[in-house]
Amino acid sequence: EVQVEESGGGLVQPGGSLRLSCSASGLTFSNYAFHWVRQAPGKGLEFVSAITSPGISTYYADSVKGRFTISRDNSRNTLYLQMSSLRAEDTAVYYCVKDIGGPFPSVLDHWGQGNLVTVSS
Amino acid sequence: EIVMTQSPVTLSVSPGERATLSCRASQSVSTNLAWYRQKAGQAPRLLIYGAVTRATGVPARFSGGGSGTEFTLTISSLQSEDFAVYYCQHYNNWPPYTFGQGTKLEIK
């Protein structure tokens, strides 16, 4: 069974940095693209970032471009999201999501339980 | 950016009855459309992709339809676990892919 689990969230001050991690089991990690999707309190879902299976190509929402960096370590079966210059509007539950598979990231197949990031002074 | 619009915002249906949810794209997304269900306090779950294909383990009471700009998700006989929020998502010519604002399916 595929399991995805995020860690590293918490409270951070505006302008601060935080790194989210995501571990996945029950699959050959290196074969799949992964995504980060967020959900602000009481709001809908928003694409944040995605990375292809070998990690060569990365994609970002305009709202986080230049501030967030997605990366992966296939030897550790781990995905990362380095977040810097954080703003109040980045406050959200961040989901790590496995892609369904294929040459290009597309469908969000298995979701982690989510990790809350709160940006506040 | 492609805008996804779901309707209605809230749908009230009795258990055992049929529910039909709609999703419209601001431009054609072909059949690059997925549906997700999010129960209260939980992560979303993939239901449908490719507009019509049920994901692994999804019950047959869920069916998807449409192409281009108009899509539907039909739940043939509502069970208690189906009362939740549903999101559509396109994955055509992205980034970014975008989600609809959600339809809340509530018990009548």
Side-chain angles (χ1 to χ4, degrees), chain A residues 35 39 47 104-106 108 112, chain B residues 36 38 43-44 87 89 94 97 99:
Chain A
H35 309 245
Q39 187 170 36
F47 162 72
F104 190 72
S106 57
L108 306 164
Chain B
Y36 303 86
Q38 185 175 32
Y87 294 95
Q89 173 228 354
W94 73 275
Y97 54 71
F99 296 88

Side-chain angles (χ1 to χ4, degrees), chain B residues 3 15 19 23 31-33 38 44 48 50 56 65-67 72-73 77 80 84 86:
Chain B
V3 177
C23 176
T31 55
N32 295 314
L33 190 286
Q38 185 175 32
I48 301 284
T56 302
S67 65
T72 57
L73 174 69
S77 177
S80 57
Y86 291 80

Side-chain angles (χ1 to χ4, degrees), chain A residues 51-118:
Chain A
I51 188 167
T52 53
S53 53
I56 293 174
S57 296
T58 58
Y59 309 89
Y60 297 94
D62 285 346
S63 58
V64 307
K65 202 172 293 183
R67 300 188 298 123
F68 290 13
T69 302
I70 189 172
S71 62
R72 63 191 296 162
D73 184 341
N74 286 343
S75 67
R76 295 176 181 269
N77 288 3
T78 303
L79 175 75
Y80 302 100
L81 184 68
Q82 179 68 47
M83 304 183 291
S84 60
S85 302
L86 283 161
R87 308 165 180 167
E89 54 264 36
D90 295 318
T91 294
V93 172
Y94 285 72
Y95 293 102
C96 170
V97 195
K98 168 192 165 291
D99 190 82
I100 199 168
F104 190 72
S106 57
V107 177
L108 306 164
D109 186 30
H110 280 84
W111 296 63
Q113 81 285 356
N115 205 327
L116 178 62
V117 172
T118 303

